[in-house]
Amino acid sequence: MFAASMPLLAVAARPAGCVASNTHKRSPSRPAWDAGSFRRPHTSKGLAAAAAVQQRRSAHRRLHAVLSATGGNTNGANGSNPGENGAADKRQRLHTPVVIVGGGPAAHTAAIYLARAELEPLLFEGWMANGLAPGGQLTTTTYVENFPGFPEPILGADLCDRFRQQSVHYGTKVFTETVNKLHLQQGPPFTVETDDKVVTCDAVIIATGAAARKLPIPGLQQYWNNGISACAVCDGSSPLFRNREVAVVGGGDTAMEEALFLARYASKVWIVHRFGYLEASKVMARRAATHPKIDFLWEHECLEALGSDDGALSGIRLRSSRSGEEFVLPVNGLFFAIGHAPATKFLDGQLELDPHGYILTQPDSTATSVPGVFAAGDVQDPKWRQAITSAGAGCMAGLEVERWLQSLAHDLDGPAGPAGSAGAPLDPNQLNAGWVAEQRLARLMRRSGEYDGEPLEMGSVGEALESRGHHGGRRVGGRREPRATQQPAWLPMSVFGGATASSGSGAAREPLP
């Protein structure tokens, strides 16, 4: 019978410290497990340990959900959490391995990597969070010409839509809701709250980005993207500014860099600064001052943006701080270079930030000051601030979260842990194999309508598989020959503790349902 060929299923019901008696001995030619290997365990003992960890994780999640639903006590009725005014909290409660906060290239790149790893991430893209539509700063620009894969220019909003479509295609659940509160100090599991949902998770990726600071002058909204911008690298090569005069507001290194870049295309660049000196470094200040196309307007303030009949910017009204004289400077472009504001206020000081509010991450990593919390994109990058660099940081965060979830096995071990010795850490591979088996079975049952969303107990995997009749085998002339052990085709032969009549190297595997 099927159950007789699965030592995992019988052992999973034993206490965590028990050791399987039919352990499959490692072949002398097979190397020992190392930190860089991700092979599944090849012993029934290893899979029994993974099953025990999964059972403890499921119990831990259920307990946390109960405590969250009752506000830390058991007095709540039907899982509701009474608020300060006595009303029940009716928000939807979910649990997922990882939550991503953000909706730009960093967030969606991380989501794509995690969704392809079958981690089913939840992504909260926000709604007008930090004053920006879902997608972040890319939605405020016109044509993007420097993102690989698009020979023709593409609108920033359209590029964001493609990011979203790809994330959803691979299994990411996207919610257009703004995260109001995070509870990071007591995790994992961490808690993420919106107006409609309370989500617990084992890892969090923060990719909320940053918004360019702008001067609140009349005409700003009217001529935004029609002559006014906050990114010279993004928009400076546009025909709107070629061989025309433009102005840059600011006095730091960013303003000097923007002016030098614009000087490649514009006929003249005016740097408007409210002080009589520059905050930029001497090197950058010297480069800008010696450029033949760049000139300075010292101690001047920008008061208003003016336009022409065609709806484009035609000039800016300035005022001298010394004399108070006002005049109109005819320019076709106005670029703000007065810094960016990272979207980190909602963190309430739970993560370590730099003096400008950007999240501090470890060198060559996206890990933050809280284990299990990662940051990617402009929210932790005050230097480059490009869509492609944000996407790269999102890739890093996705890969690091995968490894973090595997390493949780070490934290779940207690006295007389599942590995059989007191306090001995569990091989991350063992947890990974058990988790893969659980997720694939859940997918089978979900497609048939038999899965209710509760975490699966590994001890029930055998009965579920046997009752559904999922067998392995090889195809011969278009028909299937059953295996002697009737194992599921998507699990390795070694999971079941030994070779069978049809376990040769040439045996075909049934594709994943």
Side-chain angles (χ1 to χ4, degrees), residues 218-353:
L220 172 64
Q221 299 300 328
Q222 182 178 356
Y223 301 112
W224 184 259
N225 283 335
N226 283 318
I228 301 180
S229 174
C231 181
V233 176
C234 306
D235 304 324
S237 62
S238 170
L240 194 63
F241 310 117
R242 286 181 180 268
N243 300 317
R244 299 187 180 185
E245 293 191 15
V246 300
V248 176
V249 177
D253 279 347
T254 300
M256 303 303 108
E257 291 173 0
E258 301 270 280
L260 289 168
F261 183 86
L262 289 169
R264 304 177 186 178
Y265 309 101
S267 60
K268 189 173 186 62
V269 179
W270 295 94
I271 297 180
V272 181
H273 194 37
R274 58 179 176 170
F275 301 125
Y277 58 90
L278 294 176
E279 296 94 342
S281 62
K282 291 183 179 180
V283 173
M284 295 303 301
R286 186 181 302 113
R287 289 179 184 176
T290 56
H291 198 286
K293 287 187 177 182
I294 298 178
D295 205 349
F296 291 84
L297 286 171
W298 303 103
E299 300 181 56
H300 280 76
E301 297 181 21
C302 185
L303 301 179
E304 184 182 3
L306 306 173
S308 56
D309 295 337
D310 60 0
L313 183 76
S314 63
I316 55 176
R317 186 181 302 278
L318 301 177
R319 180 177 61 196
S320 172
S321 301
R322 282 189 176 182
S323 64
E325 179 187 359
E326 296 186 7
F327 64 96
V328 175
L329 179 67
V331 292
N332 295 104
L334 174 61
F335 290 83
F336 293 116
I338 52 178
H340 287 71
T344 54
K345 291 183 179 179
F346 73 105
L347 297 175
D348 294 329
Q350 298 180 82
L351 297 180
E352 187 176 354
L353 309 177

Side-chain angles (χ1 to χ4, degrees), residues 37-78:
S37 173
F38 289 91
R39 293 187 301 273
R40 296 189 179 101
H42 293 276
T43 66
S44 57
K45 173 183 175 181
L47 285 168
V53 170
Q54 282 299 114
Q55 289 176 336
R56 293 167 62 186
R57 262 185 110 173
S58 299
H60 179 67
R61 289 173 179 173
R62 291 194 187 100
L63 176 61
H64 181 81
V66 170
L67 292 177
S68 299
T70 59
N73 58 65
T74 57
N75 296 328
N78 59 34

